[in-house]
Structures are given as structure tokens and as C-alpha cells.
Amino acid sequence: MVAASVQFGQHAPAQRTILHLSDTHLLADNAPLVGTYDTAANLDATLRRVERLGTQPDALVFTGDLTDLGEPEAYRALRDAVEPVAEALDAPIIWVAGNHDERGPMRQHLLDREPTEEPVVSVHDVGGLRIVALDSSVPGWHHGELDAAQLAWLAEVLAEPAPLGTLLAMHHPPLPCHLPVFDILELRDQPALGEVIADTDVRGILAGHLHYSTSGTFAGVPVSVAAATCYTMDISRPAVEVNGMDAGQSFHLTHVYADTITHSVVPVVEAPSGDFFSQEWVDHMASLTPEARLEAFSRKR
């Protein structure tokens, strides 16, 4: 969109735009998740919303639980759904492993790598923005960990700053959780990660796992958790009664600026919108002086 490049306020347009999606939980033959949720249909609705964004993303980041059981067919179905959309957007895909994923099948059927049990980690240069995919999954378990070897590898990666800084992408967020049971499945030994990223160029952490959107800070670094595409948690209920619902699916638009990063929730809904703003309206505002724009749009009538 032309409008995205027009600067009316104090901030220049974002340097990079990242689509942050999470927790697709696909199953082979599109079996209903826990007998209830159509994960393929919900992913399709999400991707159709992505196609209607009108924004050119620089990368798509999926923060884990890509499949529910780590089935080869489910990984292939995920590729078939997402890769054409990413290709049309001319944006790379960054896949992150979650606790429901299995490293061997994920490596082989999603990443075209050898099907080993090594952590699924990667480093991506997105026009000067470094995105590091970490693997907080623990084979055979649902809680999260980053072992000493992976933390040492991360320290080596971060030893040299990137031009636009670094985002970490991982499944288990280093944040408190509103759901008591999820505390059992949290990222363990979080201080060890905090020591590694201290005094580095890490500007943000993207995560999933919780199935609802939330944010906070960890070791002075902002953390943004994207809700799931499969189903979300209804946290309007008392904490001990929070359960999943087939509603509220969303993803995040992460905008990277020179001096800040924003994370905006994009709902996956079909709903009419107003038609006040348009490209013509923006073009008209762009033709005015700053004083005339303030008079036309800011003054109360």
C-alpha cells in the first residue's frame, strides 16, 4: 500500500514487518483436534486473512506446535497450505519447534533436513534484522528447556550485533501464565536464558504455547505471545476454569522501527468495516501542509 510509506507523524515507516503466527496443531487426515477443532479450516481462514492484509511482510514466523502429534502427513499438509501464501508474498518462512512437534519428522518433512533429534535451530537475516529460531521442546515432554549446548550456541550467535538487532523466536514464553496448569509446562531455568541475552542486541522475543495473546518483559526484553490459529483460551473465566474455545483466533503484525518494536493483534474474522479512510483520503492528506493536516483532521468540529 502506498499509504504505508507516507509519514504524517513523528515516526518513520517501519524498517521491517514480520507476521507472527503460532500453534497450528495440524493432524493427519485433518482429524479434529481433541475431537472438536477443525485445525485445517482455522489455518485456512488465518491464511486467507493474511492474504487480505494489504501489507508486504518481510518474513512469516510460526512459533511452534506446528502439528499436534508430529505426524509426517501433518507437516506435509502444513507446507502445502503455507508455502504458496509465502511465495505469493515473496516472504521467507521461519519454522519454530514446539512441544507438540517431533524433531525427526519436522526436520525431514518440513525442513528437508536429516531426521535427527538435534534441536531445530536456525538464524535468518531479514534485511539486517536477525531472527534466531530456538528449540525449547524437550523430546518426550511438554515443558520447555534450553540446554547448556543450545545456550552456548546462542551466545556465539549474539556475540556480533546485527544491523537492526535481533528477535528470538521460541515456543515456550519466558513469562508468567494466567493458567495455573500451564505453569507445569513453562520454560524451565529461565534465568539461564536471561544471562545469555543480557547486554546483547536482542530487542524482542516472539513466542506461542499459551493459546492467547499476551505480552511482558523478560530480562529487560519485551516478549510477545501470539494466540493460536487452532483454538484459543477463554481467559475471561476464573483462572482455574480457563478452557479452549473455537473463537478469537488471531496473529500478530510485528513492526520493527529504529527505536522501538510494536506487536499488533490481527483478528481472524469476517466482518464489515467502515469506509471513511481510503487511498484517496490519504493522498489528499499528503497534499496538505502539516498545519493544514492538523486543522483538517485534529481540530474538533
Side-chain angles (χ1 to χ4, degrees):
M1 293 177 62
V2 176
S5 64
V6 177
Q7 181 177 342
F8 292 139
Q10 300 172 57
H11 300 279
Q15 296 172 310
R16 300 291 176 267
T17 300
I18 307 299
L19 291 184
H20 175 198
L21 310 93
S22 201
D23 292 82
T24 48
H25 281 267
L26 292 192
L27 284 158
D29 298 320
N30 194 30
L33 182 61
V34 296
T36 302
Y37 305 109
D38 188 336
T39 59
N42 288 343
L43 174 60
D44 182 71
T46 301
L47 294 175
R48 301 293 79 77
R49 186 72 178 92
V50 167
E51 290 176 327
R52 300 194 305 272
L53 273 177
T55 294
Q56 176 59 52
D58 295 290
L60 281 65
V61 179
F62 285 76
T63 49
D65 281 2
L66 310 171
T67 69
D68 194 61
L69 298 174
E71 301 158 303
E73 183 182 335
Y75 286 117
R76 292 193 292 268
L78 183 62
R79 292 184 72 164
D80 290 344
V82 176
E83 287 181 349
V85 175
E87 184 177 355
L89 293 171
D90 192 26
I93 310 168
I94 299 173
W95 302 110
V96 176
N99 52 285
H100 278 268
D101 292 302
E102 297 293 339
R103 290 175 175 176
M106 178 179 170
R107 283 176 164 275
Q108 181 176 1
H109 298 283
L110 189 64
L111 304 175
D112 296 325
R113 301 184 193 173
E114 288 297 314
T116 70
E117 288 301 308
E118 293 297 310
V120 183
V121 298
S122 57
V123 181
H124 307 264
D125 179 0
V126 182
L129 173 69
R130 181 167 55 197
I131 301 180
V132 180
L134 299 176
D135 187 347
S136 60
S137 70
V138 181
W141 300 84
H142 282 299
H143 67 268
E145 290 182 1
L146 296 171
D147 63 20
Q150 190 172 164
L151 290 175
W153 171 82
L154 177 61
E156 291 182 6
V157 171
L158 298 177
E160 185 71 27
L164 300 183
T166 296
L167 293 179
L168 303 183
M170 57 195 298
H171 184 62
H172 298 79
L175 288 179
C177 177
H178 182 69
L179 288 67
V181 70
F182 267 64
D183 291 343
I184 303 170
L185 309 180
E186 68 185 357
L187 180 71
R188 298 165 67 89
D189 195 13
Q190 295 177 20
L193 174 62
E195 291 177 4
V196 171
I197 67 175
D199 300 318
T200 68
D201 71 341
V202 174
R203 302 179 61 192
I205 299 174
L206 310 181
H209 188 51
L210 301 182
H211 288 238
Y212 65 91
S213 297
T214 190
S215 61
T217 56
F218 168 73
V221 175
V223 181
S224 177
V225 180
T229 72
C230 60
Y231 70 86
T232 65
M233 305 302 282
D234 182 2
I235 61 170
S236 67
R237 304 174 67 176
V240 296
E241 297 177 6
V242 171
N243 278 278
M245 60 181 182
D246 196 2
Q249 286 89 348
S250 64
F251 57 92
H252 287 184
L253 271 176
T254 298
H255 290 98
V256 178
Y257 297 86
D259 57 355
T260 191
I261 298 177
T262 63
H263 305 272
S264 305
V265 177
V266 182
V268 179
V269 293
E270 292 283 353
S273 61
D275 57 1
F276 180 81
F277 300 107
S278 65
Q279 187 64 58
E280 292 73 21
W281 187 91
V282 172
D283 290 342
H284 172 65
M285 285 291 156
S287 71
L288 302 178
T289 65
E291 295 77 14
R293 279 198 292 271
L294 203 64
E295 179 67 31
F297 195 48
S298 178
R299 184 179 294 281
K300 295 181 180 180
R301 305 299 178 186

